């Protein structure tokens, strides 16, 4: 079915139907819903080229990913984010343009995308503290939403972020309530903004209980399984090893579990582990009793929220700035238990 046939079925002009399908604000909401329902019922899909000509838009969202020897953004977390964002793109007739570039070519890539009119908007991934990309995109005048936030940026900009500080304060407090005092933090790279906020939550929880902050128990690196394994192995060999770990992702936590088992210890009994970012398609932590205690936040849902916020901005809905804070929920699994000393006291009392 083409636009003319759909218009005739609805008894509306082709212009009205086209504007309703493309989100123009002057179309009455009742008319828009009528058109959308009819389009769905008759499997109508507008021609992409015709839609581009009609709207003056590229109907494309840009993602620029810097890849360096130090940090690789293309990972399972990114895949889940794109899966969520892709659902929203598909529902709204947008395509995705992915540019993977060297770090030093990132700024030029943004400038090229905008000057060519190749994208209607951009999603920014992996913001760093005082991220320069925000000022650049504001200078270029292209709509954008940041997945995360950037500390020390005074300008008002659009973002969707999880409350990292509160999530890690809650995770650390949970371990403190179990009697743990030697708690290690396995965080992401130190210049990433999420890692700064998660570290602040960890420190705040310790300080609120009068527990000394021990720098030797705070680790920063790219979040791989190998990082989790090697770091946990070294930590357990300390003269005073940690009895618990707070971990920035399920991926390094899998390495931690391996190191604990190799040391002849049992996770949840001898060493406790709380993780973040456990709701990933290929690293599931589901089950009646999850393997890991976690502060859960769906990356796929974040992708949906970021994409929807950006499309709303492109279509002129709202006040032009989209900011949304997501909260993480604590789910207790098999990876946590009382600190060994507290367990002994409880057993004696029992």
């Amino acid at each position: 079915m083409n636009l003319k046939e759909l218009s005739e079925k609805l008894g509306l002009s082709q212009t009205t139907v086209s504007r309703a399908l493309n989100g123009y604000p002057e179309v009455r909401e009742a008319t828009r819903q009528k058109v959308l329902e009819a389009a769905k019922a008759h499997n109508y899909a507008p021609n992409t080229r015709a839609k581009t000509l009609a709207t003056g838009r590229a109907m494309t969202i840009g993602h620029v990913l810097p890849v360096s020897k130090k940090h690789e953004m293309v990972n399972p977390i990114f895949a889940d984010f794109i899966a969520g964002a892709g659902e929203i793109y598909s529902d709204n007739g947008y395509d995705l343009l992915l540019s993977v570039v060297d770090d030093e070519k990132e700024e030029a890539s943004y400038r090229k995308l905008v000057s060519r009119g190749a994208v209607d908007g951009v999603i920014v991934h992996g913001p760093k503290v005082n991220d320069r990309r925000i000022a650049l995109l504001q200078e270029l005048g292209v709509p954008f939403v940041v997945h995360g936030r950037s500390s020390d940026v005074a300008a008002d900009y659009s973002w969707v972020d999880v409350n990292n500080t509160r999530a890690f304060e809650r995770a650390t407090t949970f371990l403190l309530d179990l009697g743990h005092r030697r708690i290690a933090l396995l965080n992401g790279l130190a210049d990433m903004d999420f890692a700064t906020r998660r570290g602040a939550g960890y420190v705040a929880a310790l300080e609120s209980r009068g527990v000394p902050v021990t720098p030797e128990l705070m680790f920063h690196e790219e979040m791989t399984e190998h990082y989790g394994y090697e770091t946990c192995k070294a930590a357990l060999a300390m003269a005073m090893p940690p009895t618990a770990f707070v971990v920035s992702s399920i991926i390094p936590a899998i390495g931690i579990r391996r190191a604990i088992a190799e040391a002849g210890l049992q996770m949840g009994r001898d060493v406790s582990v709380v993780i973040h970012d456990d709701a990933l398609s290929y690293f599931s932590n589901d089950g009646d009793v999850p393997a890991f205690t976690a502060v859960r936040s769906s990356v796929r849902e974040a992708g949906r929220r970021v994409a929807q916020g950006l499309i709303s901005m492109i279509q002129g809905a709202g006040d032009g700035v989209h900011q949304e804070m997501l909260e993480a929920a604590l789910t207790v699994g098999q990876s946590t238990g009382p600190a060994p000393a507290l367990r002994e006291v409880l057993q004696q009392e029992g």
Side-chain angles (χ1 to χ4, degrees), residues 178-258:
L178 289 171
H180 296 279
R181 292 299 179 265
R182 292 277 292 178
I183 303 172
L185 171 66
L186 267 70
N187 210 343
L189 292 167
D191 61 345
M192 304 299 289
D193 194 82
F194 76 83
T196 299
R197 296 179 188 274
R198 292 176 184 181
Y202 164 83
V203 168
L206 295 178
E207 290 180 342
S208 71
R209 296 293 183 86
V211 177
V213 176
T214 308
E216 69 173 3
L217 293 180
M218 300 174 69
F219 304 93
H220 293 274
E221 189 50 78
E222 189 173 351
M223 294 188 294
T224 64
E225 191 272 350
H226 181 72
Y227 161 51
Y229 172 74
E230 292 293 343
T231 304
C232 180
K233 187 176 177 180
L236 292 177
M238 292 178 176
M240 294 181 61
T243 62
F245 292 82
V246 181
V247 194
S248 269
S249 170
I250 192 173
I251 300 171
I254 293 171
I256 288 175
R257 179 170 59 184
R258 180 160 65 100

Side-chain angles (χ1 to χ4, degrees), residues 140-334:
L140 295 175
V142 63
F144 70 94
V145 178
V146 181
H147 179 211
R149 286 174 291 165
S150 178
S151 303
D152 302 331
V153 172
D156 203 16
Y157 61 95
S158 296
W159 51 263
V160 175
D161 196 13
V162 66
N163 195 334
N164 285 296
T165 301
R166 184 177 297 174
F168 272 64
E169 184 172 6
R170 190 176 184 188
T172 308
T173 298
F174 179 79
L175 291 168
L176 290 166
D177 287 343
L178 289 171
H180 296 279
R181 292 299 179 265
R182 292 277 292 178
I183 303 172
L185 171 66
L186 267 70
N187 210 343
L189 292 167
D191 61 345
M192 304 299 289
D193 194 82
F194 76 83
T196 299
R197 296 179 188 274
R198 292 176 184 181
Y202 164 83
V203 168
L206 295 178
E207 290 180 342
S208 71
R209 296 293 183 86
V211 177
V213 176
T214 308
E216 69 173 3
L217 293 180
M218 300 174 69
F219 304 93
H220 293 274
E221 189 50 78
E222 189 173 351
M223 294 188 294
T224 64
E225 191 272 350
H226 181 72
Y227 161 51
Y229 172 74
E230 292 293 343
T231 304
C232 180
K233 187 176 177 180
L236 292 177
M238 292 178 176
M240 294 181 61
T243 62
F245 292 82
V246 181
V247 194
S248 269
S249 170
I250 192 173
I251 300 171
I254 293 171
I256 288 175
R257 179 170 59 184
R258 180 160 65 100
I260 291 171
E262 285 187 6
L265 303 172
Q266 181 178 327
M267 186 175 71
R269 184 193 66 189
D270 303 305
V271 182
S272 289
V273 179
V274 180
I275 68 170
H276 185 70
D277 279 345
D278 71 319
L280 301 177
S281 299
Y282 292 96
F283 291 91
S284 177
N285 188 38
D286 294 326
D288 293 337
V289 182
F292 291 99
T293 295
V295 277
R296 309 194 71 169
S297 176
S298 170
V299 178
R300 184 172 294 218
E301 179 60 23
R304 296 188 189 101
R305 301 287 187 93
V306 171
Q308 189 59 67
L310 180 57
I311 290 173
S312 295
M313 291 172 64
I314 293 168
Q315 295 177 344
D319 60 3
V321 175
H322 179 85
Q323 297 179 342
E324 187 173 4
M325 180 77 82
L326 307 177
E327 295 293 341
L330 178 67
T331 302
V332 180
Q334 302 174 49

Side-chain angles (χ1 to χ4, degrees), residues 60-208:
T60 302
I61 304 298
H63 296 253
V64 177
L65 295 186
V67 177
S68 69
K69 294 180 180 178
K70 182 65 177 176
H71 183 48
E72 172 66 79
M73 278 298 299
V74 183
N75 54 37
I77 295 172
F78 174 75
D80 259 37
F81 179 92
I82 288 297
E87 294 175 22
I88 304 301
Y89 297 159
S90 178
D91 289 345
N92 289 274
Y94 282 81
D95 293 322
L96 180 155
L97 178 60
L98 176 61
S99 300
V100 180
V101 300
D102 292 335
D103 284 8
E104 62 271 17
K105 296 179 181 178
E106 186 176 6
E107 179 175 334
S109 183
Y110 281 118
R111 291 188 182 279
K112 185 177 180 181
L113 286 175
V114 175
S115 65
R116 288 170 46 213
V119 298
D120 299 309
V122 172
I123 288 177
V124 178
H125 297 273
K128 297 182 179 181
V129 175
N130 197 19
D131 200 302
R132 294 180 299 176
R133 291 174 295 177
I134 294 170
L136 170 64
L137 292 170
Q138 289 180 325
E139 173 197 329
L140 295 175
V142 63
F144 70 94
V145 178
V146 181
H147 179 211
R149 286 174 291 165
S150 178
S151 303
D152 302 331
V153 172
D156 203 16
Y157 61 95
S158 296
W159 51 263
V160 175
D161 196 13
V162 66
N163 195 334
N164 285 296
T165 301
R166 184 177 297 174
F168 272 64
E169 184 172 6
R170 190 176 184 188
T172 308
T173 298
F174 179 79
L175 291 168
L176 290 166
D177 287 343
L178 289 171
H180 296 279
R181 292 299 179 265
R182 292 277 292 178
I183 303 172
L185 171 66
L186 267 70
N187 210 343
L189 292 167
D191 61 345
M192 304 299 289
D193 194 82
F194 76 83
T196 299
R197 296 179 188 274
R198 292 176 184 181
Y202 164 83
V203 168
L206 295 178
E207 290 180 342
S208 71

